[in-house]
Amino acid sequence: EIVLTQSPATLSLSPGERATLSCRASQSVSTYLAWYQQKPGQAPRLLIYDASTRATGIPARFSGSGSGTDFTLTITSLEPEDFAVYYCQQRSSWPPEYTFGQGTKLEIK
Amino acid sequence: QVQLQQSGPGLVTPSQTLSLTCAISGDSVSSDSAAWNWIRQSPSRGLEWLGRTYYRSRWYNEYAAFMKSRITINPDISKNQFSLQLDSVTPEDTAVYYCASGERTFDPWGQGTLVTVSS
């Protein structure tokens, strides 16, 4: 099973600042990596897929990069609504398997 | 746009079967380009993909290895929905259960159902 490790566990920033979140895979996942945002009491929302493609309706301040084992989600100029928990997710073709990272909580400083 | 609406009980007795349903609007459970998933989330284990069903000339069901002996996911073509059955539940199966659409990623998701396993 491919393990995804996210860092940091918690990131404390102020609105307007830049956030950089990391996701590291235990083995290469090529660019089969996605990012989700989850707010309290809500289901996760897809932000980024294929490592760097924004999902429909996602603001341009969200961007993803990386390939292989190291990936980054960057949020430029944080808005108040961006404070949430962020998860990365990978998929393996065979056996079919999807795993998630443990999450990074982005909190207001 | 695709929307998913979950239904099912929030309390299940240990050793019994957990059953949830996910109704689909805006797409067909028989679509040959979609996949229909169940995912759960708990504080101790985080987000876990449980399995999926999809149609590609015939029906396929794929399950997470750790669930394989206890889980069944079935499509219901007449009602355009799919279901989750988890047998022999224990308190460790207490979690928020989500249905979600997607073949490589998950979008959209259902609203989530908190299922508590307790006597």
Side-chain angles (χ1 to χ4, degrees), chain A residues 5 18 25 29 31 77 82:
Chain A
T5 302
R18 179 188 186 95
V29 298
T31 56
S77 190
D82 298 336

Side-chain angles (χ1 to χ4, degrees), chain A residues 29-75:
Chain A
V29 298
S30 183
T31 56
Y32 296 130
L33 189 103
W35 291 93
Y36 298 83
Q37 176 193 69
Q38 187 177 33
K39 297 179 179 179
Q42 297 183 16
R45 177 176 72 143
L46 178 66
L47 298 175
I48 301 285
Y49 63 93
D50 291 345
S52 61
T53 304
R54 276 190 302 277
T56 303
I58 302 303
R61 65 180 181 274
F62 291 90
S63 65
S65 63
S67 65
T69 60
D70 290 300
F71 300 87
T72 300
L73 174 69
T74 300
I75 313 170

Side-chain angles (χ1 to χ4, degrees), chain B residues 50-70:
Chain B
L50 304 180
R52 65 180 182 172
T53 188
Y54 60 96
Y55 184 78
R56 302 289 186 271
S57 301
R58 69 171 179 90
W59 286 101
Y60 291 84
N61 295 311
E62 294 169 348
Y63 303 126
F66 73 95
M67 276 287 173
K68 212 157 201 174
S69 61
R70 297 198 293 137

Side-chain angles (χ1 to χ4, degrees), chain A residues 6-9 11 19 21-23 34-39 45 47 61-62 73-75 78-89 100-107, chain B residues 47:
Chain A
Q6 293 186 241
S7 62
L11 184 58
L21 288 68
S22 175
C23 177
W35 291 93
Y36 298 83
Q37 176 193 69
Q38 187 177 33
K39 297 179 179 179
R45 177 176 72 143
L47 298 175
R61 65 180 181 274
F62 291 90
L73 174 69
T74 300
I75 313 170
L78 285 164
E79 298 287 341
E81 63 267 27
D82 298 336
F83 292 91
V85 180
Y86 291 83
Y87 296 95
C88 55
Q89 172 249 316
F100 293 84
Q102 82 282 14
T104 290
K105 181 179 181 180
L106 178 57
E107 65 177 23
Chain B
L47 287 159

Side-chain angles (χ1 to χ4, degrees), chain B residues 26-61:
Chain B
D27 202 347
S28 169
V29 70
S30 304
S31 167
D32 62 4
S33 60
W36 308 102
N37 303 268
W38 286 99
I39 297 162
R40 71 181 182 183
Q41 184 176 30
S42 65
S44 58
R45 291 188 304 275
L47 287 159
E48 298 179 295
W49 175 77
L50 304 180
R52 65 180 182 172
T53 188
Y54 60 96
Y55 184 78
R56 302 289 186 271
S57 301
R58 69 171 179 90
W59 286 101
Y60 291 84
N61 295 311

